[in-house]
mmCIF file of all heavy atoms in Angstrom:
data_model
loop_
_atom_site.group_PDB
_atom_site.id
_atom_site.type_symbol
_atom_site.label_atom_id
_atom_site.label_comp_id
_atom_site.label_asym_id
_atom_site.label_seq_id
_atom_site.Cartn_x
_atom_site.Cartn_y
_atom_site.Cartn_z
ATOM 1 N N ARG A 513 118.967 84.857 115.117
ATOM 2 C CA ARG A 513 118.350 84.495 113.842
ATOM 3 C C ARG A 513 117.711 83.117 113.901
ATOM 4 O O ARG A 513 116.667 82.871 113.311
ATOM 5 C CB ARG A 513 119.384 84.595 112.725
ATOM 6 C CG ARG A 513 119.703 86.048 112.408
ATOM 7 C CD ARG A 513 120.994 86.211 111.686
ATOM 8 N NE ARG A 513 120.993 85.585 110.374
ATOM 9 C CZ ARG A 513 122.056 85.573 109.565
ATOM 10 N NH1 ARG A 513 123.167 86.145 109.953
ATOM 11 N NH2 ARG A 513 121.981 85.026 108.390
ATOM 12 N N GLU A 514 118.357 82.212 114.635
ATOM 13 C CA GLU A 514 117.764 80.873 114.761
ATOM 14 C C GLU A 514 116.467 80.927 115.560
ATOM 15 O O GLU A 514 115.498 80.228 115.230
ATOM 16 C CB GLU A 514 118.768 79.920 115.402
ATOM 17 C CG GLU A 514 119.822 79.456 114.398
ATOM 18 C CD GLU A 514 121.016 78.775 115.044
ATOM 19 O OE1 GLU A 514 121.103 78.748 116.286
ATOM 20 O OE2 GLU A 514 121.865 78.290 114.293
ATOM 21 N N SER A 515 116.439 81.760 116.595
ATOM 22 C CA SER A 515 115.201 81.907 117.368
ATOM 23 C C SER A 515 114.093 82.477 116.492
ATOM 24 O O SER A 515 112.955 81.999 116.509
ATOM 25 C CB SER A 515 115.421 82.854 118.556
ATOM 26 O OG SER A 515 116.293 82.277 119.473
ATOM 27 N N ASN A 516 114.435 83.505 115.721
ATOM 28 C CA ASN A 516 113.436 84.089 114.812
ATOM 29 C C ASN A 516 112.955 83.057 113.813
ATOM 30 O O ASN A 516 111.766 82.988 113.481
ATOM 31 C CB ASN A 516 114.034 85.273 114.041
ATOM 32 C CG ASN A 516 114.287 86.469 114.935
ATOM 33 O OD1 ASN A 516 113.840 86.493 116.070
ATOM 34 N ND2 ASN A 516 115.010 87.443 114.433
ATOM 35 N N GLN A 517 113.903 82.239 113.333
ATOM 36 C CA GLN A 517 113.531 81.259 112.319
ATOM 37 C C GLN A 517 112.565 80.212 112.881
ATOM 38 O O GLN A 517 111.660 79.763 112.182
ATOM 39 C CB GLN A 517 114.785 80.581 111.766
ATOM 40 C CG GLN A 517 114.525 79.888 110.456
ATOM 41 C CD GLN A 517 115.766 79.204 109.928
ATOM 42 O OE1 GLN A 517 116.249 78.260 110.526
ATOM 43 N NE2 GLN A 517 116.272 79.681 108.812
ATOM 44 N N ALA A 518 112.753 79.852 114.143
ATOM 45 C CA ALA A 518 111.848 78.864 114.749
ATOM 46 C C ALA A 518 110.414 79.389 114.730
ATOM 47 O O ALA A 518 109.468 78.664 114.374
ATOM 48 C CB ALA A 518 112.298 78.553 116.173
ATOM 49 N N ILE A 519 110.239 80.654 115.082
ATOM 50 C CA ILE A 519 108.885 81.238 115.078
ATOM 51 C C ILE A 519 108.375 81.369 113.636
ATOM 52 O O ILE A 519 107.202 81.115 113.349
ATOM 53 C CB ILE A 519 108.887 82.612 115.791
ATOM 54 C CG1 ILE A 519 109.251 82.445 117.271
ATOM 55 C CG2 ILE A 519 107.544 83.303 115.646
ATOM 56 C CD1 ILE A 519 108.251 81.680 118.112
ATOM 57 N N THR A 520 109.269 81.753 112.723
ATOM 58 C CA THR A 520 108.875 81.861 111.312
ATOM 59 C C THR A 520 108.357 80.519 110.794
ATOM 60 O O THR A 520 107.338 80.450 110.095
ATOM 61 C CB THR A 520 110.087 82.307 110.461
ATOM 62 O OG1 THR A 520 110.517 83.569 110.941
ATOM 63 C CG2 THR A 520 109.737 82.419 108.991
ATOM 64 N N GLU A 521 109.052 79.453 111.157
ATOM 65 C CA GLU A 521 108.621 78.130 110.686
ATOM 66 C C GLU A 521 107.306 77.722 111.349
ATOM 67 O O GLU A 521 106.458 77.085 110.714
ATOM 68 C CB GLU A 521 109.717 77.100 110.945
ATOM 69 C CG GLU A 521 110.870 77.271 109.962
ATOM 70 C CD GLU A 521 111.991 76.258 110.150
ATOM 71 O OE1 GLU A 521 111.701 75.073 110.366
ATOM 72 O OE2 GLU A 521 113.154 76.667 110.068
ATOM 73 N N ALA A 522 107.124 78.087 112.614
ATOM 74 C CA ALA A 522 105.843 77.792 113.271
ATOM 75 C C ALA A 522 104.701 78.488 112.527
ATOM 76 O O ALA A 522 103.659 77.886 112.251
ATOM 77 C CB ALA A 522 105.885 78.250 114.728
ATOM 78 N N LYS A 523 104.917 79.717 112.155
ATOM 79 C CA LYS A 523 103.880 80.470 111.438
ATOM 80 C C LYS A 523 103.608 79.842 110.075
ATOM 81 O O LYS A 523 102.460 79.780 109.622
ATOM 82 C CB LYS A 523 104.308 81.930 111.265
ATOM 83 C CG LYS A 523 104.330 82.699 112.572
ATOM 84 C CD LYS A 523 104.852 84.116 112.339
ATOM 85 C CE LYS A 523 104.879 84.905 113.629
ATOM 86 N NZ LYS A 523 105.466 86.243 113.445
ATOM 87 N N LEU A 524 104.657 79.409 109.415
ATOM 88 C CA LEU A 524 104.512 78.749 108.115
ATOM 89 C C LEU A 524 103.632 77.506 108.262
ATOM 90 O O LEU A 524 102.681 77.299 107.491
ATOM 91 C CB LEU A 524 105.900 78.368 107.600
ATOM 92 C CG LEU A 524 105.982 77.370 106.450
ATOM 93 C CD1 LEU A 524 105.641 78.072 105.140
ATOM 94 C CD2 LEU A 524 107.373 76.769 106.343
ATOM 95 N N TYR A 525 103.928 76.700 109.255
ATOM 96 C CA TYR A 525 103.181 75.455 109.427
ATOM 97 C C TYR A 525 101.751 75.699 109.903
ATOM 98 O O TYR A 525 100.846 74.936 109.572
ATOM 99 C CB TYR A 525 103.933 74.529 110.386
ATOM 100 C CG TYR A 525 105.189 73.945 109.769
ATOM 101 C CD1 TYR A 525 106.357 73.816 110.492
ATOM 102 C CD2 TYR A 525 105.195 73.516 108.440
ATOM 103 C CE1 TYR A 525 107.505 73.279 109.922
ATOM 104 C CE2 TYR A 525 106.336 72.987 107.864
ATOM 105 C CZ TYR A 525 107.485 72.871 108.601
ATOM 106 O OH TYR A 525 108.611 72.339 108.028
ATOM 107 N N GLU A 526 101.559 76.760 110.685
ATOM 108 C CA GLU A 526 100.185 77.109 111.081
ATOM 109 C C GLU A 526 99.354 77.396 109.832
ATOM 110 O O GLU A 526 98.212 76.939 109.703
ATOM 111 C CB GLU A 526 100.192 78.353 111.982
ATOM 112 C CG GLU A 526 100.641 78.069 113.404
ATOM 113 C CD GLU A 526 101.054 79.334 114.141
ATOM 114 O OE1 GLU A 526 100.831 80.438 113.606
ATOM 115 O OE2 GLU A 526 101.618 79.212 115.249
ATOM 116 N N ALA A 527 99.931 78.161 108.914
ATOM 117 C CA ALA A 527 99.194 78.504 107.682
ATOM 118 C C ALA A 527 98.907 77.258 106.865
ATOM 119 O O ALA A 527 97.780 77.071 106.366
ATOM 120 C CB ALA A 527 100.007 79.514 106.869
ATOM 121 N N GLU A 528 99.895 76.386 106.737
ATOM 122 C CA GLU A 528 99.667 75.160 105.957
ATOM 123 C C GLU A 528 98.604 74.282 106.619
ATOM 124 O O GLU A 528 97.760 73.699 105.940
ATOM 125 C CB GLU A 528 100.987 74.394 105.813
ATOM 126 C CG GLU A 528 101.943 75.089 104.853
ATOM 127 C CD GLU A 528 103.181 74.259 104.541
ATOM 128 O OE1 GLU A 528 103.515 73.349 105.316
ATOM 129 O OE2 GLU A 528 103.812 74.543 103.516
#
Side-chain angles (χ1 to χ4, degrees):
Chain A
R513 287 161 64 182
E514 282 167 354
S515 293
N516 290 349
Q517 198 181 66
I519 296 294
T520 300
E521 286 181 42
K523 291 176 180 176
L524 165 77
Y525 288 140
E526 284 162 9
E528 288 188 339

